Amino acid sequence: MKKLTVAFFLVFLTVIAVFASSLDRYVFVFDDEKLVSDSKELSVLGFYLKYWKSGYEEYKSTANTIFSENMDLFFPDDTAVLDIFSSINPQEFLSPGKKFRSAKETYPQSIIINAFFIEFLYSDWERSGEIQVGQEIIDSCNNLEQLAGTNPLSSFYKAKVLWKSKVIGDSSQAIQIIKDIYTEYSDNIKILYEYIVMSYQNEDYKKATDLYENYIKLGESADEIHLIAAKSYLNLENKDKARELASSITKSSGRKNILASTYELLGDIAQTNVQKINYYKLSLEYDEKNGLIWSKLGVSYLQEDRKENAQLARVILNKALSLYPNQPEIRAELDNLQRDIKIKGVMVYILPLLGIVIGGITVMIVLEKRKKNREYEEMLKK
């Protein structure tokens, strides 16, 4: 009995050590929407985060009210975090980043402060791309895992840096981290979202579509994920499913970049050149400076009627190269067009003109010969 009591006490101490703060569970929940319907402590954090991301004052007002009515529930490091969020402006990154760095010096073992230090440090790295900042994120994630164990938040940001960085990156390790954490937290939307993106970029289209089915079951709907799924189905040669998803996106999304990519995809799927031309034109209405789409439009005009559309295609492909010069195949096509146009110029203008000149010379020779014949006949008569 005494041994059981000691064992229970040790477990209790371990739990207290891991969750020494009311907000520490954030690193495992890692979902703003779920926070607001969780405990009172986490709901305060959730509303502050929603205010910071959206700017809606009612979120901040709700958070302030719950916070003030339940201050006895929070530990000092919790209060430090909530005070920072209550004092910053929406979408502000630099100031809170500095504040969390300072708070981390005061509470170096705080799980929640280390978590937000990582989040704002990652925002800084996304803007700057500095190698030392990326390495600091990885080191901070490792430190957080020593404090709280493996968790979605540290796995997410560590994997993101390893996936995106060209210097300290390791794509194989990044996708393994996401895969492992997804096994434990398959209902975490941020983890699932990132897993789908990485799978697609890794050209694992079957995995991307399988994960997409799970994403739909969770009731989520992000334009980017629908578009990735459509592209993945196309790469798997399931054109019907790709077309179905893409058509759905055009009806539900109002974002220019999404619509531009979706109409481009529909153009790629289209069976006739006329359909391709129409879809690529629609795509360019939302992204008129996309050189690759201009190229697809120009090539489609050539494939529809090379002879009739040569001049128009030449103009379009020149524009494509001006926007995106690194297209050797388009440059080669323009060279072919230029040669065709020169040949056409010879056939249409030079040869007829040459025929006229030759005809004129022939007539002159005939007339001159006739004149000489007449003069000769007149001499004979004399």
Side-chain angles (χ1 to χ4, degrees):
M1 183 69 181
K2 189 174 182 181
K3 289 182 179 180
L4 287 175
T5 303
V6 172
F8 177 78
F9 182 68
L10 289 175
V11 171
F12 177 75
L13 287 179
T14 301
V15 172
I16 292 298
V18 173
F19 295 104
S21 159
S22 302
L23 301 183
D24 287 352
R25 275 200 315 113
Y26 170 66
V27 301
F28 296 96
V29 177
F30 196 42
D31 185 328
D32 302 351
E33 293 300 325
K34 289 183 178 179
L35 289 178
V36 297
S37 57
D38 206 293
S39 64
K40 288 182 179 180
E41 301 96 300
L42 286 176
S43 69
V44 174
L45 179 60
F47 281 116
Y48 274 135
L49 287 172
K50 288 172 76 69
Y51 163 70
W52 179 75
K53 291 179 179 179
S54 68
Y56 293 144
E57 287 290 337
E58 50 266 39
Y59 289 144
K60 183 178 181 179
S61 177
T62 301
N64 287 339
T65 300
I66 301 174
F67 185 25
S68 63
E69 292 175 353
N70 298 277
M71 295 192 70
D72 57 319
L73 298 177
F74 298 98
F75 290 83
D77 57 334
D78 296 329
T79 302
V81 169
L82 298 176
D83 283 343
I84 290 173
F85 276 111
S86 67
S87 65
I88 61 177
N89 295 318
Q91 294 297 318
E92 186 179 2
F93 291 93
L94 187 59
S95 172
K98 291 179 178 178
K99 290 180 178 180
F100 278 112
R101 184 179 289 277
S102 177
K104 183 171 173 282
E105 293 174 359
T106 305
Y107 302 99
Q109 301 301 308
S110 169
I111 291 173
I112 189 62
I113 287 177
N114 275 278
F116 280 113
F117 172 72
I118 291 169
E119 293 211 80
F120 281 96
L121 192 61
Y122 180 80
S123 298
D124 180 32
W125 181 75
E126 274 196 310
R127 293 190 299 275
S128 69
E130 294 181 11
I131 299 171
Q132 59 269 31
V133 177
Q135 187 59 56
E136 187 177 9
I137 292 169
I138 293 174
D139 294 341
S140 298
C141 287
N142 291 335
N143 178 59
L144 180 59
E145 288 175 358
Q146 289 180 355
L147 295 172
T150 303
N151 61 87
L153 185 145
S154 62
S155 296
F156 178 84
Y157 288 111
K158 188 196 299 186
K160 292 267 279 187
V161 173
L162 290 170
W163 184 260
K164 291 185 175 183
S165 177
K166 295 180 180 179
V167 180
I168 59 174
D170 184 334
S171 59
S172 297
Q173 185 183 356
I175 204 162
Q176 188 62 49
I177 290 171
I178 288 295
K179 179 180 179 181
D180 290 344
I181 200 66
Y182 175 73
T183 302
E184 294 185 56
Y185 298 91
S186 58
D187 62 341
N188 187 285
I189 296 305
K190 290 182 181 179
I191 296 298
L192 178 54
Y193 185 107
E194 201 60 32
Y195 197 5
I196 293 172
V197 171
M198 287 185 181
S199 297
Y200 173 75
Q201 293 177 351
N202 201 41
E203 298 182 2
D204 189 348
Y205 304 120
K206 181 65 170 62
K207 173 59 71 174
T209 55
D210 288 345
L211 291 169
Y212 175 71
E213 295 302 321
N214 294 343
Y215 183 83
I216 294 301
K217 289 177 183 176
L218 291 174
E220 295 298 316
S221 181
D223 292 338
E224 293 87 352
I225 297 299
H226 292 317
L227 183 55
I228 283 175
K231 290 180 178 180
S232 297
Y233 280 117
L234 180 59
N235 278 290
L236 293 171
E237 298 184 0
N238 190 341
K239 291 185 177 181
D240 291 339
K241 186 65 175 179
R243 187 183 295 108
E244 177 189 338
L245 277 175
S247 298
S248 175
I249 294 169
T250 62
K251 297 172 184 176
S252 62
S253 180
R255 296 163 58 190
K256 286 187 175 182
N257 62 323
I258 294 294
L259 290 171
S261 295
T262 304
Y263 281 120
E264 178 188 6
L265 178 62
L266 285 168
D268 296 341
I269 299 171
Q271 296 179 335
T272 70
N273 288 311
V274 172
Q275 290 175 332
K276 288 178 179 293
I277 289 168
N278 290 334
Y279 281 127
Y280 292 143
K281 282 182 175 180
L282 283 170
S283 177
L284 288 167
E285 288 182 13
Y286 297 100
D287 187 6
E288 61 181 10
K289 294 184 179 181
N290 191 315
L292 293 176
I293 301 175
W294 280 105
S295 295
K296 291 181 179 182
L297 178 62
V299 169
S300 296
Y301 270 115
L302 287 176
Q303 291 175 343
E304 174 62 18
D305 191 330
R306 188 177 186 87
K307 183 178 179 181
E308 183 68 24
N309 296 328
Q311 289 286 5
L312 175 59
R314 183 186 175 199
V315 172
I316 292 173
L317 294 179
N318 271 312
K319 183 176 181 65
L321 279 182
S322 71
L323 292 169
Y324 189 71
N326 187 25
Q327 299 186 80
E329 69 285 356
I330 297 302
R331 197 171 296 279
E333 187 62 75
L334 276 170
D335 291 340
N336 292 335
L337 278 174
Q338 184 66 23
R339 186 167 56 253
D340 292 346
I341 290 170
K342 286 181 179 178
I343 293 172
K344 182 179 179 181
V346 170
M347 298 296 293
V348 174
Y349 301 107
I350 304 300
L351 288 182
L353 182 60
L354 185 60
I356 293 171
V357 172
I358 293 173
I361 292 173
T362 302
V363 170
M364 289 176 64
I365 292 173
V366 170
L367 291 176
E368 184 65 23
K369 188 174 182 179
R370 287 179 179 178
K371 181 180 178 183
K372 287 182 178 181
N373 287 338
R374 285 198 300 270
E375 290 176 350
Y376 179 73
E377 289 174 356
E378 290 177 358
M379 286 177 60
L380 290 176
K381 289 178 181 180
K382 291 179 179 180

